[in-house]
Amino acid sequence: MEIKVHIDNLNVHFGQTHAVKHVAMAFPTNSVTAIIGPSGCGKSTVLRAINRMHDLTPGARVAGSITLDGADIYGRGVDPVAVRRQIGMVFQKPNPFPAMSIYDNVVAGYKLNGRFNRGEADEIVESSLKRVALWDEVKDRLRANSMELSGGQQQRLCIARTIAVKPEVILMDEPASALDPISTLKIEELIEELKEKYTIIIVTHNMQQAARVSDYTAFFYLGDLIECGDTRKIFTTPEKKQTEDYITGRFG
């Protein structure tokens, strides 16, 4: 099994708060790993450590090792912006750039590379929107403001914007929690398709969703990784009583 992202002895502090404690886990290539656990257990904190989002948080300290294809993303001289290009992030609430058109949202990251080729940009927009099953819905109004889209369409647009810069890993923080059931289903189907090309790590509070979309599941509680393994095993025969209690709804 090829490993795309590897975490070893990860600790995250916010001031005096020890939010994530001595976490070690691996994320296989072209798979979906779901991170589950009650609110405040460290799920999103781990996710944000994987693409150096905590660099932007005052008072945050990250220690330990996170590697992408064996290279330490916190190594000396590593550019966090380059890391975020390789490890894209999709947030809980759809966040298209509000003053931009659908087209400009998709090519926003491409433009940051400093050179702009219209033909290349057109190709990126079409292929990215097709990958997220949005092209047929918006191809006749690419210049329309992105805020005219529905919530589910906006979230798929944000995923298109993420994959337009050709990342290797996509992080998703509760990507469907603000969406209706039909839009949620579309996002879940999309995750299934995207894992052919990307390694996906998703934080979700919805255990049915974790069971449906993921190959592997990690259960966190109070900053500790309690158990991690094959999703079917975690949901049917977990090794730890804490995991079983959470999955069966006894707490959380």
Side-chain angles (χ1 to χ4, degrees):
M1 186 194 298
E2 193 184 330
I3 299 301
K4 181 54 103 174
V5 176
H6 190 272
I7 294 177
D8 190 39
N9 197 27
L10 175 68
N11 288 273
V12 183
H13 289 82
F14 299 106
Q16 299 302 307
T17 305
H18 195 177
V20 168
K21 307 162 188 170
H22 311 291
V23 167
M25 61 188 300
F27 301 90
T29 304
N30 298 116
S31 66
V32 180
T33 302
I35 300 178
I36 62 170
S39 295
C41 69
K43 305 186 296 288
S44 295
T45 301
V46 169
L47 204 68
R48 287 161 181 260
I50 296 171
N51 77 340
R52 295 193 55 170
M53 291 286 284
H54 297 305
D55 291 27
L56 309 169
T57 308
R61 295 193 323 281
V62 178
S65 155
I66 301 179
T67 60
L68 173 67
D69 291 329
D72 185 356
I73 67 165
Y74 283 89
R76 190 180 297 241
V78 174
D79 178 7
V81 176
V83 169
R84 288 179 210 125
R85 200 168 283 141
Q86 288 176 289
I87 305 175
M89 182 96 164
V90 177
F91 295 93
Q92 180 172 0
K93 285 202 173 78
N95 63 338
F97 300 129
M100 287 189 188
S101 68
I102 295 166
Y103 183 101
D104 287 335
N105 259 278
V106 179
V107 294
Y110 166 73
K111 283 180 172 175
L112 292 175
N113 292 338
R115 54 184 187 80
F116 186 80
N117 174 302
R118 172 64 66 187
E120 207 173 275
D122 288 350
E123 222 168 88
I124 287 168
V125 169
E126 184 171 344
S127 65
S128 301
L129 290 173
K130 278 180 174 170
R131 276 208 85 95
V132 302
L134 194 55
W135 174 252
D136 288 340
E137 296 169 40
V138 302
K139 64 184 178 189
D140 299 324
R141 49 183 181 132
L142 294 174
R143 297 295 168 190
N145 189 297
S146 58
M147 303 313 284
E148 292 175 19
L149 298 174
S150 70
Q153 288 174 324
Q154 286 184 16
Q155 191 64 301
R156 281 185 284 150
L157 175 63
C158 292
I159 297 171
R161 186 177 70 197
T162 300
I163 63 179
V165 295
K166 298 186 170 67
E168 295 178 44
V169 178
I170 301 175
L171 310 177
M172 297 185 168
D173 194 355
E174 306 264 17
S177 66
L179 305 179
D180 63 84
I182 291 170
S183 298
T184 297
L185 181 62
K186 284 187 174 171
I187 296 291
E188 290 181 5
E189 288 170 348
L190 178 57
I191 289 169
E192 183 66 33
E193 287 168 31
L194 289 175
K195 79 171 181 185
E196 291 173 19
K197 198 164 179 186
Y198 309 95
T199 300
I200 297 172
I201 306 168
I202 175 172
V203 160
T204 178
H205 68 275
N206 181 329
M207 276 178 296
Q208 289 78 19
Q209 183 172 76
R212 283 193 300 264
V213 305
S214 69
D215 305 292
Y216 304 96
T217 296
F219 169 56
F220 277 78
Y221 185 65
L222 297 179
D224 290 308
L225 172 60
I226 305 299
E227 190 169 349
C228 183
D230 182 275
T231 292
R232 190 168 298 155
K233 185 177 183 306
I234 293 286
F235 278 89
T236 55
T237 52
E239 289 177 9
K240 303 282 173 68
K241 186 169 187 314
Q242 252 178 317
T243 311
E244 186 183 338
D245 287 351
Y246 181 69
I247 283 167
T248 55
R250 289 194 196 113
F251 80 97

